[in-house]
Amino acid sequence: MNPRRPDKKQEHRPYSIHGVANSQNSINSGFSAYGSSNFMITRKESVIESAKKVSPWFKQKYRKLFRKKTITKRLPILQWLPKYNADDFIGDLIAGVTVGLTVIPQALAYAGIAGLPPQSGLYGSFVGCLLYIFIGSCRCVNIGPSSTSSFLTGQVAGGNWPRAIVCGVIAGFIELGMGLFGLGFVIDFVSGPVLSGFSSAVAIMIFTGQIKSFLGIKAKGFTFIQVWKSILKDIHNTRIGDTVMGLCCMVTLLLMRQLPRLKFGPEDDNQKSTCQKVINKIIWIIGTARNFLVVVTATTISYCLIQNGQGHWLLTIGEVPQGLPEFKLPSFSSPDVVNATGHVIEKGETFWEMISFMNIGLLAVPLIALIETMSINKSAAEGKSVDATQELIAIGAGKLVNSLVGAYPGNGSFSRGAINKASGARTPLGSLYSGILVIIALLYLTPYFQYIPDAALAAVIMAAVLFMVEYAVVKPLWRAKTGTFIGIAVNILFVLFHAARPKIQVDKCVTHRLQTKYLLITPDRCLMFPSVEYVRNLINKEALRNATPVVIDCTHIYGADFTAAQAIQMLLKDFASRNQPIFFLNLKPSVAEMFEEAELDFHLFYSYHSLEQAIDDSKILEVTTKL
């Protein structure tokens, strides 16, 4: 290989290097084929200068806030209310009543998933959904408890009601803040398979948690293994009455789920007679309101058994307080709970103790709420764009107002969204009618709720979550899991190998003035801990083979960690022990700072002119020393 001379550039400019040992305070810097010194140097703004920019930003936001376009965007009711007509009213009324008949048994059942009293589910089923009418952007969303939000609340708050309310407040503020700062795009980072896997796992956990009520046994635990251990431990106490009630309700719900698919008459709706349309509509309403009808039937059976002195056959949910909840600011602490004798049976908590208990789970609640609500929005949008920012504001504000009545975190529900869509909801006003039904239930029907069997509510939940497991997604993933894992493993190995074995170019060069031979070694990427020993050994190998000065061209080294700095320190000691010169060319300032922090003593250059001069000087010094 013939030694080559690097091209020299005539244009140089001063460049100041601070804090690098044995480097020139002012050296020439130029563009070359082996590295550029064209760095951007910026002046750090003072705190006062930064603060001065805040005021104009707030003024601009303030002016935009009160524009007509912004107001109508943040209050979607102003967009559809002026165009509201009789057809919209009929569609919303049917959808609202249908959803209301669904949400009442659901709210009672979902509160059990969260480990809270039944009334807490009802409290969260009317205030938030009424607010959504004004600031919500989707016709199919009905704010309230969902199976997923209830499960997460139970896991995060541990079945403690005051803690669950605080969880709702914090989650509401997080969602509201994300909405105000336009952070709705975070949902784009959650892929479909990840969401499907999460939903399926939650469904399995919820189904497992309801087996105890289905069988009438006692079981506790917050993890899958804990619950199943507890179930198996008490399985011998299975109650016949609760099990029979649960099975009957479960089978009935699954059969009634098929009713909306039954159609009488021709397939074309335009060719059906009025009688056929009425029959189809009645069948559809019966199938859609199956939860309400099954719970009412089960409650009637339970009431009759109790009145005839046979109440021991079924466990019921117990008394539910009658009337609307008191509107008040949520308490951010809980007092000690004492029994009739004055002994503390549950110690109270301060706000920070609550936060410490819930920990990182506080971030999962708002994120999952956004994902669940946005999934409903996208389904109802039918290809149209969806404003995730507005939905964040709506569900965040909904959580905050729900906390005023003692409700735990809620959001849009897949089941209620599907019913709204199938019922022909035209606008978010359908939530008004479902909210009114919940209010009526709280005012007049709660005395009868005490007769609702636990097994019936368990059947409602289990029949619903069975279809949360997305078999169409999970099954192909399961079949392809072996190939997927192999592919992932192979790709990881390639990435690791690529990181641990960077390509290194070695060129034999000579200086222009004294024809001094030297090696130019150019790594092609950053120096990180997996690769530093490999690079160090290769440089030493080439240096020993050629016994000439070595130049490390750092043009492509945009970063280095402390392990790399330690390896460079060892490399410098290796060269020093052999009295062999080593130089660094075009080292980025950020990497130079890292080397400086490691207190490395090295020679750094940013032009070939000064570099070659230093190489020639090292040769002269070597010759002089030998003489």
Side-chain angles (χ1 to χ4, degrees):
M1 178 184 295
N2 295 326
R4 65 183 182 86
R5 296 184 177 89
D7 296 334
K8 292 177 63 179
K9 300 292 182 182
Q10 300 300 322
E11 181 183 352
H12 302 287
R13 61 180 175 83
Y15 186 89
S16 180
I17 305 296
H18 302 284
V20 181
N22 287 347
S23 65
Q24 303 173 9
N25 286 333
S26 181
I27 59 179
N28 289 330
S29 173
F31 299 100
S32 72
Y34 299 95
S36 169
S37 60
N38 192 22
F39 302 109
M40 181 179 291
I41 304 175
T42 59
R43 180 175 62 85
K44 190 175 181 180
E45 291 184 344
S46 66
V47 177
I48 297 176
E49 290 174 326
S50 299
K52 288 180 179 178
K53 293 183 177 181
V54 174
S55 180
W57 182 83
F58 273 110
K59 288 181 179 179
Q60 183 183 11
K61 290 291 183 182
Y62 180 80
R63 286 194 298 267
K64 287 184 177 180
L65 183 63
F66 292 98
R67 290 179 182 174
K68 182 180 179 181
K69 181 179 179 181
T70 304
I71 293 174
T72 55
K73 186 177 182 180
R74 296 303 169 220
L75 288 174
I77 189 174
L78 299 178
Q79 300 175 22
W80 55 262
L81 188 59
K83 300 179 288 185
Y84 203 74
N85 56 39
D87 291 335
D88 295 333
F89 168 74
I90 294 173
D92 289 341
L93 178 63
I94 294 173
V97 172
T98 308
V99 169
L101 295 176
T102 302
V103 76
I104 293 172
Q106 274 190 351
L108 294 168
Y110 290 163
I113 297 177
L116 301 176
Q119 63 268 27
S120 63
L122 292 173
Y123 292 167
S125 301
F126 69 96
V127 182
C129 71
L130 294 179
L131 177 64
Y132 189 85
I133 296 171
F134 298 91
I135 58 177
S137 60
C138 180
R139 61 188 173 89
C140 293
V141 171
N142 180 275
I143 298 295
S146 70
S147 56
T148 306
S149 67
S150 301
F151 173 77
L152 283 177
T153 301
Q155 294 292 310
V156 173
N160 182 285
W161 197 354
R163 209 183 284 151
I165 296 172
V166 171
C167 175
V169 173
I170 295 174
F173 275 119
I174 291 174
E175 289 166 346
L176 194 61
M178 291 175 66
L180 294 176
F181 285 98
L183 300 179
F185 64 87
V186 296
I187 194 175
D188 297 331
F189 292 93
V190 182
S191 66
V194 171
L195 180 58
S196 298
F198 175 81
S199 301
S200 301
V202 168
I204 293 170
M205 285 295 297
I206 293 173
F207 190 92
T208 299
Q210 295 305 306
I211 291 177
K212 57 182 176 58
S213 298
F214 193 88
L215 301 178
I217 62 178
K218 296 179 180 179
K220 295 181 180 179
F222 284 100
T223 67
F224 184 80
I225 301 298
Q226 289 175 351
V227 173
W228 270 109
K229 281 184 177 179
S230 184
I231 290 172
L232 295 175
K233 186 178 180 181
D234 199 47
I235 194 72
H236 61 281
N237 292 321
T238 298
R239 295 168 54 92
I240 299 299
D242 292 288
T243 305
V244 172
M245 173 62 75
L247 283 172
C248 291
C249 291
M250 184 81 160
V251 172
T252 303
L253 286 168
L254 294 177
L255 291 175
M256 292 181 69
R257 182 184 175 86
Q258 306 303 317
L259 287 180
R261 299 181 182 180
L262 295 178
K263 302 292 182 183
F264 286 91
E267 292 185 4
D268 189 355
D269 289 339
N270 295 325
Q271 297 179 2
K272 292 177 181 176
S273 64
T274 303
C275 181
Q276 290 172 336
K277 290 180 179 179
V278 171
I279 292 174
N280 287 335
K281 193 65 176 179
I282 292 173
I283 293 174
W284 180 87
I285 292 174
I286 293 173
T288 303
R290 59 187 177 276
N291 291 337
F292 177 80
L293 296 175
V294 166
V295 170
V296 167
T297 303
T299 304
T300 303
I301 295 172
S302 174
Y303 175 80
C304 292
L305 288 173
I306 293 173
Q307 294 300 313
N308 288 281
Q310 301 295 319
H312 62 276
W313 285 103
L314 295 173
L315 295 176
T316 60
I317 66 173
E319 292 187 9
V320 177
Q322 186 174 8
L324 296 178
E326 180 184 358
F327 281 75
K328 62 179 181 179
L329 291 175
S331 175
F332 292 95
S333 62
S334 60
D336 293 339
V337 179
V338 297
N339 57 17
T341 60
H343 289 87
V344 176
I345 58 176
E346 184 178 344
K347 186 175 176 56
E349 288 182 313
T350 64
F351 175 72
W352 293 113
E353 286 174 338
M354 291 180 176
I355 297 298
S356 177
F357 181 91
M358 292 184 284
N359 210 336
I360 197 67
L362 288 170
L363 298 180
V365 173
L367 178 60
I368 298 304
L370 172 62
I371 293 172
E372 192 168 11
T373 305
M374 285 302 296
S375 299
I376 302 168
N377 273 259
K378 290 179 179 180
S379 174
E382 298 176 346
K384 298 179 182 177
S385 61
V386 177
D387 190 352
T389 296
Q390 183 61 30
E391 285 306 298
L392 274 169
I393 294 173
I395 60 178
K399 283 185 174 63
L400 293 178
V401 297
N402 274 342
S403 68
L404 299 177
V405 295
Y408 66 89
N411 46 259
S413 164
F414 286 117
S415 59
R416 296 195 297 272
I419 292 172
N420 256 326
K421 184 178 180 181
S423 301
R426 300 292 190 92
T427 70
L429 195 61
S431 294
L432 172 64
Y433 310 113
S434 62
I436 290 174
L437 284 180
V438 174
I439 293 173
I440 292 173
L442 282 168
L443 291 174
Y444 305 109
L445 300 180
T446 48
Y448 304 101
F449 288 166
Q450 61 180 314
Y451 302 111
I452 298 177
D454 284 335
L457 292 183
V460 168
I461 296 171
M462 294 167 76
V465 299
L466 274 177
F467 300 93
M468 281 178 59
V469 180
E470 299 190 37
Y471 304 100
V473 176
V474 175
K475 190 174 180 180
L477 289 177
W478 177 262
R479 286 179 175 176
K481 66 175 183 178
T482 304
T484 301
F485 290 150
I486 292 174
I488 291 172
V490 171
N491 276 281
I492 289 175
L493 288 175
F494 273 117
V495 171
L496 293 177
F497 181 83
H498 190 70
R501 294 294 182 267
K503 293 181 180 178
I504 297 178
Q505 181 178 340
V506 180
D507 294 311
K508 295 181 179 180
C509 305
V510 296
T511 62
H512 287 76
R513 187 162 61 95
L514 299 181
Q515 303 295 302
T516 305
K517 294 181 180 179
Y518 66 94
L519 285 181
L520 182 66
I521 298 178
T522 309
D524 71 340
R525 69 192 66 136
C526 301
L527 292 179
M528 297 299 173
F529 72 93
S531 63
V532 289
E533 281 302 316
Y534 170 77
V535 173
R536 175 194 166 199
N537 292 334
L538 192 147
I539 292 174
N540 272 324
K541 181 180 177 181
E542 293 295 332
L544 288 170
R545 181 184 299 171
N546 293 275
T548 61
V550 173
V551 177
I552 310 297
D553 187 351
C554 304
T555 301
H556 304 299
I557 300 177
Y558 293 97
D561 56 15
F562 188 73
T563 306
Q566 290 179 318
I568 294 298
Q569 186 177 38
M570 296 297 297
L571 185 67
L572 293 172
K573 289 181 179 179
D574 295 338
F575 274 76
S577 65
R578 300 192 297 265
N579 291 320
Q580 188 175 8
I582 183 171
F583 308 95
F584 291 84
L585 177 67
N586 290 335
L587 188 64
K588 300 294 185 286
S590 60
V591 182
E593 288 177 7
M594 171 64 72
F595 288 178
E596 178 189 2
E597 291 175 3
E599 299 181 353
L600 302 186
D601 184 13
F602 61 99
H603 302 280
L604 175 61
F605 300 91
Y606 285 91
S607 73
Y608 276 104
H609 176 76
S610 54
L611 170 66
E612 292 189 352
Q613 184 177 352
I615 293 173
D616 287 337
D617 290 345
S618 67
K619 181 179 181 181
I620 295 172
L621 179 62
E622 181 185 357
V623 173
T624 304
T625 303
K626 288 181 180 180
L627 294 176

